[in-house]
Amino acid sequence: MSAPLRYLLSDDEMPTTWYNLVADLPEPPPPALHPGTLEPAGPDDFAPLFPMELIMQEVTTDRYVDIPGEVLDVYRLWRATPLHRARRLEAALGTPARIYYKYEGTSPAGSHKPNTAVPQAYYNAAAGVRKLTTETGAGQWGTALAFACQMFGLECEVWQVRASYDQKPYRRAMMQAFGATVHPSPSEVTEYGRSLLAADPDNPGSLGIAISEAVEVAAQDPEIRYALGSVLNHVLMHQTVIGEEALLQMAKAGDTPDLIIGCTGGGSNFAGLSFPFIREKLAGRMSPVVRAVEPAACPSLTRGVYAYDFGDTAGTTPLMKMHTLGHDFIPDPIHAGGLRYHGMSPLISHVYELGLIEAEAINQTDCFAAGVQFARTEGIVPAPEPTHALAATIAEALACRETGEEKVILTALCGHGMLDMAAYDRYFEGGMVDYEYPAEQVAAALSRIPQVPA
Amino acid sequence: MSAPLRYLLSDDEMPTTWYNLVADLPEPPPPALHPGTLEPAGPDDFAPLFPMELIMQEVTTDRYVDIPGEVLDVYRLWRATPLHRARRLEAALGTPARIYYKYEGTSPAGSHKPNTAVPQAYYNAAAGVRKLTTETGAGQWGTALAFACQMFGLECEVWQVRASYDQKPYRRAMMQAFGATVHPSPSEVTEYGRSLLAADPDNPGSLGIAISEAVEVAAQDPEIRYALGSVLNHVLMHQTVIGEEALLQMAKAGDTPDLIIGCTGGGSNFAGLSFPFIREKLAGRMSPVVRAVEPAACPSLTRGVYAYDFGDTAGTTPLMKMHTLGHDFIPDPIHAGGLRYHGMSPLISHVYELGLIEAEAINQTDCFAAGVQFARTEGIVPAPEPTHALAATIAEALACRETGEEKVILTALCGHGMLDMAAYDRYFEGGMVDYEYPAEQVAAALSRIPQVPA
């Protein structure tokens, strides 16, 4: 047997708590605000959308929250996920760097999204909710929630961004296989959707629009609640099982990361891997650089403003302080459909402002090139989203070839690309383009964000 | 923590040998015959197509063959695979039966096929081969071989049955992502393909035709060899890692199977799970019923004849004694594209004749109904192929509800369906039909198999 390529955990070693980074930050993140009063939003402001258990998780300052046994039982369908050492990629790059990737693609949905879909479905079912509504971009989140709803006997209704709905029919079929109802967004089903289609029947949709539609339906019926796949504190907290496992697995590998790289859309995958390591960094037990990588076509962290803005396009959610390109900015239809949200998670935005993480933006053709190189060396075709992190990882590893540095890089392979092969097809055919940064559209969208006094 | 849902193996527990059922059978299987002389085919007859190590594995009577360390290193990307207890499906069926499934979908190709693709690529690379050619039906095998060739630096050229090539573009893209060249079959690339297209430009292809094309190209160049994804002894032997792992995992579960069910096309998945259990049965250590389930549209075991026939449509391979529908029979384009081979593995055919296994055939709409029920309870969307085994499993479990029998059923979930969602779409839309058994076409095809004196 040669040197290990993979580090596993037994069922006994699986984490049984989620980690809440808020408990360890030097200052708390700014609160969400009620859009009318501009006062801090309280639990009641979220009650039409979420069950109380999740609202309490959203605002808790406890360091750890126990994972219910019913959730652990479903996690065990695929968790713990493997940590791989990318020895074949290292060899192909001729780098002295040691590259590790935490692979979330073995889940039933093929991505990290079930880590939060399962507890969200569980807590809603426990609260007597009948149906969950949600948005989905690439379809990863919608697939995960459809799966999770089936596990706990809930109905599921999904608004899928039309650009993805058209590009990725397999994701729709997958949600339907899990029993969900799927609408392209904007849809004729909601008042907001109808208003947009009346103005432009070809509206390609955006995550913000889809959120508005799902929220509109949930808010009208006490038996229906809404579920968000990223951005919020409780979502990020559920994803920390990724990083807690990776900490144990890196210890088994006998290595400590010098650099942690994750892709960011709303930020849940990035937070899931990195937050437990940031805890270790704040405690002085290790000192990794932590980097978020976002698409150049939707660069909220690197090009957005840090301001209070709506979470959805219609402007119906509480205001959240975050890096935003404007709540009605519609990004170009890049193939990493999951990374097309106008804002960054408020908690990640806060952590960025505190200087605990860094960020960069990468063009999609560079990302797909990295994805193909990864597939042909490591044997796993990555989803378009994590190819952003892989492109940055490969660039770092090549820099190490020049410097000779044996840097330890840990990255998040948050899903496989089997349902994204149409995007790879486009790339192979040479039909994939990089979009110019839409400075004018962003400036216009930013002019429409609400003015909140400091 | 509730009762366990899944049984894992550590890296230390992974099997390090393949199992050869031939060593334990009461009589040896009939030899392959040279099609000209009708004498038993020797290693030299296979040498234009396969490297000598694989030919030796094809004819060995050794009980166990060591798995090379280089192959184990690649296996560890995803092996050992999990054994799951289908408690949610059991609950939905209200059955006292205990259902276990061995899940092979966590592999980089999403199916069991890499279990043999990896060693085949390894032995060819070790023999100095530059390129492998192969056929693929649904694309599972082609994807697996493309992946495996990348792991060992080989080129890969694939002929994909045209019906699947058109129905399943994601599989083609996946093979290309792994660096393979893919042709629809019949193709203009080979003499045989051109002859078929000249007669019928709309020829939908068949596995037998695709094999003929891949064999034609391999036989012309000593640097090119051919790889077969099922049927042959060495392929079945490589797949026994599935059953060897399952034996250990069933022991951890504290259960012994009363019934083992696997789907069969060429037979490799079925053999992989069942052969180690048949060893235990022959040794008197357990007594499971072992059942092969095949599509009603391509029922080689239940409706074919047991006779010497060609492995390919052009009639270029050695003759093999097997259950066959005739080497030029082209089955209807059912959605379980991987189960459309005209013959059954000679070794499985022999085992069937010895009375060690039983067989049944099921229509595709019944299979998809079972697949949807499985997805909505167990959370994994199965590939169309294993839905045949699931349909039989569910029928057995429902029978147990009537009798009260706590039967222990073990089945093979040999792949997920993420690249087969177009077939599910067809099913949901009500556009999927069951084909009548094509008695006339089969009778005509059987009239054209070679006459071999007993």
Side-chain angles (χ1 to χ4, degrees), chain B residues 358-378:
Chain B
E358 60 183 37
E360 73 172 307
I362 302 186
N363 278 317
Q364 66 174 347
T365 56
D366 294 333
C367 296
F368 274 84
V372 171
Q373 182 166 28
F374 186 86
R376 293 183 181 176
T377 50
E378 290 298 309

Side-chain angles (χ1 to χ4, degrees), chain A residues 10, chain B residues 4 6-11 13 83 100 245-255:
Chain A
S10 69
Chain B
R6 186 184 57 167
Y7 302 90
L8 302 175
L9 298 178
S10 69
D11 276 1
E13 295 172 301
L83 177 79
Y100 295 85
E245 289 178 4
L247 263 170
L248 299 172
Q249 291 164 312
M250 288 297 298
K252 288 191 180 199
D255 254 338

Side-chain angles (χ1 to χ4, degrees), chain B residues 366-410:
Chain B
D366 294 333
C367 296
F368 274 84
V372 171
Q373 182 166 28
F374 186 86
R376 293 183 181 176
T377 50
E378 290 298 309
I380 299 170
V381 178
E385 291 84 349
T387 63
H388 290 74
L390 293 173
T393 297
I394 289 171
E396 281 287 333
L398 289 174
C400 290
R401 186 173 65 185
E402 302 307 311
T403 62
E405 190 185 353
E406 296 182 8
K407 190 178 280 192
V408 176
I409 306 173
L410 169 63

